[in-house]
Amino acid sequence: MRALRLHGDRDLRLEDIPEPPPPAPGEVRLRMRGIALNHIDVWGWRGMAFAQRQLPICVGVEAVGEIVALGEGVEGWTVGDRVAPYGAQTCGVCRACREGRDNLCENVSGIMGFHIDGFAREFVNQKARLMVRVPEAVSTEDAACAAVTFSTVEHMLFDNAKLQPGETILVQAGGSGIGTIAIKQAKALGCTVIATAGDDEKCAKAQALGADHVVNYSEKNFASVARRVTNKRGVDVVFEHVGASTWSGSLLALCLGGRLVTCGSTSGVSAETNLMMIFQRQLHIFGSFGASMRNVADGLAKMAGGMTPVLDRVVPLEDFRDGLDRLESRRVFGKIVVTI
Ligand SMILES: [Zn+2]
């Protein structure tokens, strides 16, 4: 079968590898249909954590597939069902897993495509426990964005920041995969959305998605804009994932008692924090990573209801590398989906 494997720093190869054995008890065999690209793919491709990984490794953390065979004891699934497989191999027995909060698993084997073989291959054996059904109304390309992207936004906005109708939210990098979904989610809830983006074209697109205010952060100070737009009060919630280059401004943009939720640091992992501001202004900072199984299901239900992810482009497996290039250089608006 065809598989896309990473052999070293930026060394991705499309190659033939043996098909997996028949699915073990509790597993299904998936015919993979699509992969959505994420920043963790870029990090892995650039050589992050090579010391802890065995190479070559099959890439791809976020995917959609179709069941082609069932292992012993698998119930509730049939051949032909489309599923979004979870992006990590969790233990299933720790307290967090038993409660469906797999992103807090205490004995996780690894993130797919990063620590352990991922989904960019024709066939994968997957634990039936670690997948969510794709509703009929959801396209395969959109479903490829469910297990990591859409669910991460669900988890950030609703489990962590507890975004409420009528609140004002600052969405950093509103043209990114998660940023575009955050804009849609917040608008659907009835929030006022301020979105940042790196150029005027992305700003215009973010506005077309529903953002009430857009800021080209390469030209304007987004924290000042956020204060002006809210009559100096500041925003209730900041949706962060840019990191070093936006961190202090994101904190400055918050209202008294405001909440910042972050799931990433694409511009760098270290930033200065004014601690006096944290306690005097009584700010809340939430770290968010991945999502629960329920978040994945909720995201797919929203897609079925019409809140679809924004797709930058859909490309064949051969162009996976080109997709990573585009993601790394921020030449995307929304998600890049690779078909298999
Ligand atoms: Zn666990």
Side-chain angles (χ1 to χ4, degrees):
M1 66 173 180
R2 290 193 312 157
L4 193 60
R5 297 201 297 175
L6 187 67
H7 284 256
D9 195 355
R10 291 176 194 251
D11 181 8
L12 261 184
R13 300 180 203 170
L14 189 54
E15 47 200 359
D16 248 329
I17 63 168
E19 287 187 14
E27 287 183 353
V28 301
R29 178 186 252 210
L30 297 180
R31 166 77 174 84
M32 301 317 299
R33 293 293 180 200
I35 307 284
L37 300 186
N38 287 280
H39 271 282
I40 193 163
D41 298 306
V42 175
W43 296 338
W45 174 60
R46 279 179 189 162
M48 184 188 269
F50 271 173
Q52 300 141 46
R53 297 194 268 162
Q54 228 181 357
L55 298 177
I57 187 170
C58 185
V59 297
V61 61
E62 184 168 38
V64 59
E66 184 184 324
I67 297 177
V68 290
L70 302 170
E72 212 182 288
V74 172
E75 284 171 12
W77 298 97
T78 50
V79 168
D81 285 348
R82 289 183 307 157
V83 302
Y86 196 67
Q89 286 296 319
T90 57
C91 78
V93 294
C94 76
R95 183 173 170 179
C97 281
R98 289 199 318 270
E99 292 171 357
R101 298 178 300 131
D102 286 66
N103 54 327
L104 286 165
C105 174
E106 290 162 16
N107 304 301
V108 65
S109 313
I111 295 171
M112 306 295 288
F114 188 78
H115 301 110
I116 52 179
D117 280 328
F119 296 113
R121 46 185 158 152
E122 282 180 274
F123 297 102
V124 174
N125 285 345
Q126 174 77 5
K127 291 188 184 100
R129 180 179 73 75
L130 289 174
M131 51 192 208
V132 178
R133 189 181 306 278
V134 175
E136 210 167 302
V138 179
S139 78
T140 298
E141 288 81 7
D142 288 349
C145 309
V148 176
T149 312
F150 214 103
S151 59
T152 289
V153 178
E154 282 283 322
H155 191 53
M156 289 173 78
L157 293 183
F158 305 118
D159 295 340
N160 286 315
K162 298 197 164 53
L163 185 66
Q164 301 297 317
E167 288 191 317
T168 300
I169 178 170
L170 172 66
V171 176
Q172 295 287 16
S176 62
I178 56 173
T180 47
I181 293 166
I183 292 171
K184 285 192 171 195
Q185 295 260 27
K187 285 314 296 176
L189 193 65
C191 295
T192 299
V193 175
I194 306 166
T196 69
D199 62 54
D200 290 341
E201 193 188 335
K202 283 185 188 174
C203 282
K205 286 181 177 174
Q207 202 149 29
L209 280 186
D212 301 280
H213 308 274
V214 289
V215 188
N216 180 341
Y217 60 72
S218 61
E219 289 175 358
K220 278 189 186 155
N221 181 322
F222 64 83
S224 310
V225 174
R227 297 219 149 263
R228 196 185 66 230
V229 162
T230 55
N231 294 320
K232 295 185 184 166
R233 178 179 172 270
V235 301
D236 300 286
V237 171
V238 175
F239 181 91
E240 241 303 336
H241 52 115
V242 177
S245 68
T246 51
W247 184 255
S248 58
S250 286
L251 291 172
L252 267 174
L254 284 168
C255 70
L256 276 172
R259 293 104 71 198
L260 181 150
V261 60
T262 179
C263 76
S265 53
T266 48
S267 69
V269 295
S270 295
E272 220 165 84
T273 302
N274 181 333
L275 297 176
M276 198 181 281
M277 187 164 71
I278 301 286
F279 60 78
Q280 281 188 345
R281 296 189 60 76
Q282 300 169 62
L283 305 181
H284 303 258
I285 297 174
F286 298 90
S288 199
F289 193 69
S292 69
M293 300 301 282
R294 181 183 47 78
N295 293 140
V296 180
D298 288 352
L300 280 162
K302 286 184 184 176
M303 286 187 202
M307 192 193 292
T308 53
V310 175
L311 301 186
D312 178 77
R313 62 193 55 215
V314 178
V315 299
L317 191 57
E318 289 77 6
D319 292 344
F320 194 102
R321 194 208 150 97
D322 179 54
L324 294 178
D325 263 329
R326 294 184 65 85
L327 198 55
E328 185 181 38
S329 58
R330 303 180 183 201
R331 286 175 291 142
V332 290
F333 189 87
K335 296 296 293 181
I336 297 174
V337 171
V338 177
T339 55
I340 302 176

